[in-house]
Amino acid sequence: MTDPVLIVGATGLIGNLLVRKLIADGRDNALHLLLRKPADKSYGAATVHVAPTKEWPDVIATVKAGRAVSCLGSTMKKAGSKEAFAAVDRDLVGAVGKAAKAAGTRQFITVSSTMANAEASSFYLKVKGQAEQLLRAEGFDRLDIIRPGLLRGERSGDARLGESLAIIASPVMDRLLHGSLRRYRSIDAAEVASAIAELLAQDKPGTTIHENDAIWKLAGKAAA
């Protein structure tokens, strides 16, 4: 990996798995991680930048990454309010995208959600859709929007009862979701991370939405 790659949200479920994969693949020499606070873990040869979010645009301007990945994401419970949730999942994602574009980033990859729609009645899906709109407006040479179904994986803290119950039931529910409904199946976060790592090696211009089937294909996994 010679093209500088910037990852924000590297301490989250997908972000952490993505960083670990890139390190394991020997693709960390030109990797830059932008964190809000120091992390008690090793990131190989990656360069770690720690700064409050208001200073992120300045850091992004100095990194000048050719490719950038946003794995940013919160929950209503963790954020504490709708406003605080939107401040991260929409406003911060949009600010990162704007700063990246200004710094010369050609490819931007963002983790969104299945059914994301700026006009959705669900506040969560509406915010995700609005974040996608902000990124589209930047006019990146290549924009990859990742829309996974229910994510499976080990999260640190922030236990989510409803989501945990859904994951437990997912082996049965997944078998009932066929055709266009496959986008709602559960998916392993490690597969999403593998798909993003694969996308970082692609250059074809345009905007592409990647749902479960496309994610599995990128990750080299044939879904049932």
Side-chain angles (χ1 to χ4, degrees):
M1 180 186 295
T2 56
D3 203 20
V5 172
L6 173 71
I7 298 178
V8 295
T11 59
L13 176 59
I14 295 174
N16 180 62
L17 290 167
L18 173 60
V19 172
R20 295 299 154 201
K21 176 167 179 54
L22 294 176
I23 292 173
D25 291 347
R27 301 167 64 188
D28 51 329
N29 285 327
L31 187 60
H32 293 260
L33 311 179
L34 182 49
L35 311 179
R36 281 176 279 196
K37 56 185 179 181
D40 185 22
K41 58 182 69 177
S42 172
Y43 288 115
T47 301
V48 179
H49 308 266
V50 179
T53 55
K54 65 181 180 181
E55 296 178 10
W56 280 15
D58 294 331
V59 176
I60 293 171
T62 63
V63 173
K64 300 185 186 305
R67 304 173 193 266
V69 183
S70 169
C71 296
L72 291 169
S74 185
T75 64
M76 214 74 71
K77 176 183 176 182
K78 192 173 184 179
S81 68
K82 287 185 175 181
E83 292 75 16
F85 171 76
V88 173
D89 285 58
R90 180 192 62 213
D91 302 340
L92 185 55
V93 171
V96 168
K98 180 176 288 294
K101 177 62 177 177
T105 296
R106 303 183 309 279
Q107 179 190 22
F108 197 96
I109 302 173
T110 188
V111 178
S112 185
S113 173
T114 186
M115 294 195 299
N117 187 327
E119 304 300 324
S121 57
S122 160
F123 184 76
Y124 176 87
L125 297 176
K126 182 176 183 177
V127 166
K128 291 293 188 181
Q130 290 172 337
E132 291 183 8
Q133 281 188 334
L134 291 174
L135 295 174
R136 287 176 184 271
E138 292 302 329
F140 290 100
D141 291 350
R142 179 179 177 115
L143 175 62
D144 292 285
I145 298 172
I146 312 296
R147 288 185 183 173
L150 177 66
L151 287 173
R152 301 191 306 269
E154 294 294 328
R155 289 181 171 87
S156 58
D158 187 32
R160 311 175 199 183
L161 178 59
E163 191 173 79
S164 297
L165 293 175
I167 291 173
I168 292 171
S170 64
V172 174
M173 295 303 299
D174 287 349
R175 289 188 173 87
L176 303 177
L177 300 174
H178 301 282
S180 62
L181 297 179
R182 288 163 61 88
R183 72 185 66 179
Y184 306 120
R185 287 187 176 188
S186 64
I187 186 169
D188 197 304
E191 294 166 354
V192 179
S194 292
I196 294 174
E198 179 63 27
L199 288 171
L200 284 170
Q202 299 186 9
D203 292 309
K204 185 178 179 180
T207 297
T208 306
I209 293 173
H210 307 274
E211 296 185 314
N212 277 353
D213 280 338
I215 294 170
W216 281 317
K217 184 176 181 180
L218 285 163
K221 180 180 182 299

